[in-house]
Amino acid sequence: MEEERVILFMNQIQEEIANALVQLSGKSFLTEAIVAKKIRENIKLSGKNKAGLAFNDVEEAIKYVNENNDLHYSLHLNSANDLLIKPAEEACGLDGDARKRRLSSEKSMTVLTNGDAKSATEGKTGVGGKPYKKRTEKKRMSVNRDWDEWE
């Protein structure tokens, strides 16, 4: 019988998560923030400093690392619904309740997306490839000026 190998098709952010997990494999304990920081360093993303990682992307990246690099990680969830990634003998994910809690909390979180990874690697920094320009001039309304004209 032939063994069927699962070919995983990953998007760019999942590849970046997998690369970060391989690079950080010497650590005994990883948090979602540490992995996200490493990804921002690797792709030179200068924004979204508080952004987390989507659970589905982390799960796919861990499967890929498990298959190709023979590194096994287990996922845990703390009380603030942050992902904790620990090296383990055998890869294991979250149980049903923890998975549901994490996915529902992601609705209110800022996460790194595939679009962020693409725009950072292509050198785009704003919407549609236009560089982001901060507004420098502040406009203030003078209440006294309007009052003087009224009298």
Side-chain angles (χ1 to χ4, degrees):
M1 286 186 209
E2 292 182 25
E3 283 187 35
E4 289 185 29
R5 287 198 58 103
V6 177
I7 299 174
L8 299 173
F9 295 103
M10 299 193 322
N11 59 27
Q12 190 167 358
I13 193 67
Q14 292 169 349
E15 290 175 7
E16 293 298 333
I17 294 170
N19 289 339
L21 288 173
V22 170
Q23 290 173 353
L24 297 169
S25 64
K27 302 231 180 201
S28 61
F29 180 77
L30 298 171
T31 63
E32 176 181 5
I34 292 171
V35 177
K37 181 179 178 181
K38 187 65 173 175
I39 291 169
R40 285 192 300 274
E41 285 176 14
N42 288 346
I43 63 175
K44 296 171 181 58
L45 180 66
S46 62
K48 291 197 166 188
N49 292 335
K50 303 276 183 183
L53 301 171
F55 174 71
N56 293 331
D57 292 338
V58 173
E59 196 172 44
E60 289 299 317
I62 286 177
K63 286 179 188 176
Y64 178 79
V65 169
N66 185 24
E67 288 285 322
N68 296 325
N69 293 21
D70 202 31
L71 294 171
H72 306 286
Y73 290 103
S74 64
L75 287 173
H76 303 278
L77 202 64
N78 66 7
S79 60
N81 293 333
D82 296 328
L83 286 174
L84 308 174
I85 305 166
K86 296 180 184 179
E89 297 287 324
E90 189 174 313
C92 65
L94 296 176
D95 63 341
D97 182 44
R99 182 184 185 93
K100 185 177 178 182
R101 271 190 6 242
R102 171 60 189 203
L103 290 174
S104 67
S105 72
E106 279 184 12
K107 293 176 184 174
S108 63
M109 288 175 51
T110 302
V111 294
L112 290 174
T113 62
N114 194 35
D116 296 329
K118 280 183 179 179
S119 66
T121 55
E122 293 173 0
K124 296 179 182 178
T125 55
V127 177
K130 297 177 185 174
Y132 177 72
K133 185 177 179 183
K134 288 186 176 180
R135 190 177 90 189
T136 56
E137 113 184 28
K138 291 183 179 179
K139 296 187 178 185
R140 294 194 173 118
M141 189 171 111
S142 174
V143 177
N144 294 332
R145 188 187 73 211
D146 294 336
W147 179 258
D148 291 339
E149 291 174 4
W150 186 70
E151 288 183 334

